[in-house]
Amino acid sequence: MTATRRPTSDFVRPDKDRFLGEINPYEEMLSRLRRAAALLKLEEGLFKVLSQCEKQITVSLPVVMDDNTVEVFTGYRVLHNTSRGPAKGGIRFDLQVNIDEVKALAAWMTWKCAVVNIPFGGAKGGVICDPAKMSIGELERLTRRYTAGIIATLGPDSDVPAPDVNTNERVMAWVMDTYSMHVGHTVTAVVTGKPVELGGSLGRREATGRGCMFVTLQALAHLGMKVKGTTVAVQGFGNVGSVTADLLQKQGCKIVAIGDRSGALHDPKGIDVEAAITHYAKHKSLEKFKGGKRLSNDELLTLDVDVLVPAALENVITGANAKDIRAKIICEGANGPTTADAEAILDKKGVFVIPDILANAGGVTVSYFEWVQDRGGYFWDEETVNRRLETIMVHSFGDVLALSKKHKVNMRTAAYMLAVSRVANVHRLRGIFA
Ligand code: NAD
């Protein structure tokens, strides 16, 4: 039997946030945790607890392929910490998936949920596979087998996945259906990022970019800069980048540069973001968009702008180019766009960096709203979702800024301190079960 192949873009998200190439991502996470723990004078025992992942599951997943051969895939689900509530974190399908990456992403979810103070712990899942080479039927069977493999940990009260690299709402619907078939009734709250007709939330798609917009406005106000006419360059024009650019333009900022994997465009008079979004939706690329002078992605990063929004990949601002960055504010839409070397250089230059675990937390915040709506069986209008998101992002920015002033540390260290102290406090209250 031959496989009927549909374009991959119909059912998987494009490759994204593969990060930290040569650096072990879990070690990177630990170095940031160590710094926050030292500043907080965290008890040695608690540091040991937070340095470890609570649970690591490895499953081997036999799948009958369309040609009737059997392939066996490897999948992981890691729960880093569940002291504050059910584990929350995406599932990625990618050839680069490895256990240290999944562990690091799980821990980052713990810190991200704690920074915005939503009642979740951190988790992540991954399956080593190349979805671009699989038919939709093969992907469905793989998803269902993976879900069955980790079903003992899944549940609205224990572990709630979401989409991540190369998975989307289609995949979440399969996870939800498989779980529901096992427990014998429909459980929409077992995953977030679902189709709206299946219990998904209005406003989820735009939530990460909207959150970036809210924290950027907060940063401008903090630095005494005007919104109107503020110049912005955005790297990445997918979900996060395009929504951030669109919403900042609607607030009065001037988006002078945008870019995607095909390169960048620069127009000092301002780019028509809506036209770019229409073009991108049609062509899946900005390559032929006539909206400014062509630049390389590296040139975009070092433009003389007020705000730079890296919203594509990890490790784009490095020790090599940080000295050339001219932006006054960096809003990290992507996960891990700034290396530790770059961070030190940016600090010396006085660049105000809104770190990823705060800047892009709008996505998980509206995932939390989705979970709440599913459990309540009562759905909110989009205006309510957006207003509640704004409240959380603005408060979280204020909390991190206050800590950064109090301890004279940058926003990233303050965000880690806030997150680690919140998780540690819950551990102190709960004690150690024995
Ligand atoms: P996406 O796939 O929708 O968009 C990624 C964009 O980056 C595309 O426009 C792509 O062309 C561009 N890109 C890829 N390689 C590039 C390169 N070398 N140079 C410049 N641009 C390049 O992804 P997304 O959902 O917007 O996610 C972007 C980042 O934000 C990732 O790091 C992701 O983990 C992070 N993030 C996303 C969400 C979310 O809700 N989508 C939430 C939190 C964090």
Side-chain angles (χ1 to χ4, degrees):
M1 198 166 74
T2 14
T4 318
R5 296 202 186 265
R6 283 175 38 189
T8 310
S9 55
D10 279 5
F11 51 91
V12 292
R13 301 194 337 177
D15 204 357
K16 66 191 68 169
D17 93 329
R18 190 179 295 153
F19 65 114
L20 296 170
E22 68 280 7
I23 305 165
N24 178 310
Y26 200 69
E27 290 300 324
E28 178 81 355
M29 188 291 295
L30 282 178
S31 76
R32 300 245 154 101
L33 170 62
R34 223 171 267 124
R35 182 166 59 183
L39 286 161
L40 290 165
K41 300 191 177 29
L42 191 72
E43 304 90 302
E44 184 60 29
L46 264 181
F47 176 74
K48 284 190 207 160
V49 171
L50 300 182
S51 307
Q52 302 289 332
C53 293
E54 276 176 20
K55 195 182 278 187
Q56 300 175 42
I57 304 165
T58 304
V59 281
S60 84
L61 309 167
V63 174
V64 180
M65 307 303 278
D66 290 342
D67 63 3
N68 277 328
T69 59
V70 173
E71 277 299 334
V72 182
F73 298 88
T74 300
Y76 305 106
R77 185 75 184 164
V78 173
L79 275 56
H80 171 256
N81 189 288
T82 57
S83 58
R84 303 179 75 252
K88 188 89 196 76
I91 296 169
R92 65 173 55 179
F93 286 173
D94 198 280
L95 282 175
Q96 310 293 320
V97 164
N98 63 74
I99 189 68
D100 274 355
E101 183 190 64
V102 180
K103 283 169 63 183
L105 286 160
W108 286 358
M109 285 303 296
T110 303
W111 311 135
K112 201 178 288 188
C113 293
V115 166
V116 287
N117 214 2
I118 57 177
F120 285 135
K124 207 78 181 189
V127 178
I128 306 170
C129 66
D130 183 356
K133 298 218 169 99
M134 296 169 71
S135 72
I136 194 159
E138 290 166 345
L139 270 173
E140 179 175 352
R141 293 193 288 281
L142 176 62
T143 304
R144 289 186 183 279
R145 185 67 193 226
Y146 171 68
T147 307
I150 61 167
I151 207 145
T153 148
L154 293 184
D157 292 316
S158 52
D159 183 15
V160 186
D164 192 69
V165 175
N166 290 332
T167 59
N168 64 0
E169 54 180 42
R170 168 72 277 184
V171 176
M172 293 307 109
W174 292 326
V175 174
M176 176 266 178
D177 183 70
T178 306
Y179 181 83
S180 298
M181 288 298 116
H182 276 74
V183 297
H185 57 99
T186 295
V187 186
T188 52
V190 69
V191 283
T192 60
K194 298 179 296 293
V196 170
E197 52 273 54
L198 205 72
S201 178
L202 295 171
R204 172 63 186 89
R205 196 188 68 78
E206 300 83 5
T208 308
R210 189 174 295 278
C212 288
M213 179 267 285
F214 288 138
V215 291
T216 301
L217 296 188
Q218 292 301 303
L220 288 170
H222 164 63
L223 298 175
M225 292 164 69
K226 283 205 187 83
V227 179
K228 196 159 172 44
T230 282
T231 53
V232 183
V234 182
Q235 186 193 54
F237 207 65
N239 177 290
V240 181
S242 67
V243 174
T244 307
D246 185 42
L247 295 180
L248 282 175
Q249 186 166 71
K250 287 185 171 129
Q251 293 293 323
C253 295
K254 200 199 281 184
I255 312 300
V256 295
I258 55 174
D260 69 356
R261 58 166 61 81
S262 71
L265 289 152
H266 180 218
D267 183 351
K269 295 200 292 299
I271 286 172
D272 181 346
V273 176
E274 272 186 19
I277 289 175
T278 308
H279 181 95
Y280 193 84
K282 195 164 167 204
H283 302 282
K284 309 269 181 265
S285 165
L286 290 173
E287 196 175 359
K288 302 223 164 75
F289 182 64
K290 304 259 180 286
K293 190 172 144 251
R294 303 266 356 152
L295 295 180
S296 71
N297 271 307
D298 288 345
E299 288 170 319
L300 177 144
L301 293 172
T302 55
L303 283 173
D304 188 6
V305 288
D306 298 313
V307 179
L308 173 65
V309 184
L313 300 170
E314 71 291 351
N315 288 349
V316 290
I317 303 172
T318 65
N321 64 3
K323 64 179 185 334
D324 302 320
I325 300 277
R326 287 185 279 172
K328 297 173 191 70
I329 296 171
I330 296 178
C331 173
E332 295 186 339
N335 282 316
T338 309
T339 66
D341 285 357
E343 188 179 333
I345 298 169
L346 295 174
D347 276 350
K348 278 209 188 99
K349 286 167 64 93
V351 180
F352 188 86
V353 179
I354 314 169
D356 48 7
I357 57 170
L358 168 65
N360 69 37
V364 75
T365 300
V366 176
S367 272
Y368 163 55
F369 295 165
E370 181 176 331
W371 177 81
V372 168
Q373 291 171 80
D374 286 337
R375 286 163 71 96
Y378 180 67
F379 290 84
W380 312 345
D381 58 36
E382 197 164 347
E383 194 268 326
T384 303
V385 170
N386 293 345
R387 185 167 31 81
R388 290 178 177 173
L389 172 64
E390 179 172 13
T391 303
I392 288 185
M393 295 306 294
V394 170
H395 280 170
S396 304
F397 182 93
D399 288 346
V400 173
L401 183 63
L403 215 55
S404 120
K405 285 181 182 163
K406 183 171 167 198
H407 292 275
K408 300 188 173 44
V409 293
N410 68 22
M411 289 288 280
R412 189 183 318 275
T413 303
Y416 270 81
M417 288 175 75
L418 180 63
V420 171
S421 64
R422 281 183 174 152
V423 178
N425 271 341
V426 168
H427 275 281
R428 287 187 200 106
L429 288 167
R430 290 182 63 155
I432 303 233
F433 173 75

